[in-house]
Amino acid sequence: MMPALSPEEEAHSRAATALIRERVRAAGGWIPFEQFMELALYAPGLGSMEDPIWEAMRRADCVLVDGTFWTDDEMIRLGLSRKRAREIGHLPQSGTGGMLEWLGQLPGATRKILIHINNTNPILDETSPERAELRRRGVEVAWDGMEIVL
């Protein structure tokens, strides 16, 4: 069973849907992929924040971004790897320069969804302090079967 959207998430979904439908209608029935990506950015693996991605995120109404690891040293601390998150192409969520810092700079109306979550990431536990921090910041965690209506 999928979790229910909050009233704010429902409102944002309806607004994003209306905007995309209007852009497609105004363009004669279709829009190029680049224009769609300005409305809903999908970036499952980000080892660092590059200017073109950041600019696209700032323009998007909805961002679905890398949520693989909570900390840069997560795999090292757990004895599962000798490499940091950034070394294997994933910007951690927490810490200086982490994904949460970037997401916090986006416009308040931007829907923020973390995707590509590693099994070691504590945000998978809905009762964890890390998950509470995401809720406090208005960041969602994607789940298998999640549908985003556009």
Side-chain angles (χ1 to χ4, degrees), residues 41-97:
L41 179 106
Y42 177 79
L46 293 173
S48 63
M49 189 59 68
E50 304 295 331
D51 287 341
I53 294 292
W54 177 237
E55 290 305 315
M57 286 175 68
R58 290 178 54 203
R59 290 189 308 268
D61 290 316
C62 178
V63 296
L64 296 98
V65 294
D66 191 355
T68 306
F69 300 111
W70 182 257
T71 62
D72 197 33
D73 67 345
E74 189 168 311
M75 297 292 279
I76 296 170
R77 276 186 304 99
L78 295 171
L80 300 172
S81 176
R82 295 184 190 154
K83 295 188 178 190
R84 296 184 169 279
R86 286 180 170 93
E87 293 175 316
I88 57 174
H90 298 286
L91 193 62
Q93 292 154 35
S94 65
T96 303

Side-chain angles (χ1 to χ4, degrees), residues 92-141:
Q93 292 154 35
S94 65
T96 303
M99 186 59 74
L100 291 179
E101 190 174 281
W102 288 102
L103 293 176
Q105 297 176 55
L106 293 175
T110 304
R111 190 168 176 193
K112 305 160 193 83
I113 305 172
L114 296 174
I115 57 174
H116 196 256
I117 315 300
N118 197 58
N119 291 340
T120 60
N121 193 324
I123 66 172
L124 291 176
D125 177 354
E126 293 183 9
T127 65
S128 71
E130 294 84 357
R131 187 66 170 259
E133 179 67 15
L134 294 181
R135 281 191 296 272
R136 186 183 73 72
R137 293 174 180 248
V139 177
E140 300 173 64
V141 176

Side-chain angles (χ1 to χ4, degrees), residues 15-54:
T17 299
L19 174 67
I20 292 170
R21 281 188 180 142
E22 175 53 28
R23 296 254 178 104
V24 169
R25 186 201 61 74
W30 72 277
I31 59 175
F33 182 71
E34 294 80 19
Q35 286 181 12
F36 175 78
M37 288 301 287
E38 290 180 6
L39 300 171
L41 179 106
Y42 177 79
L46 293 173
S48 63
M49 189 59 68
E50 304 295 331
D51 287 341
I53 294 292
W54 177 237

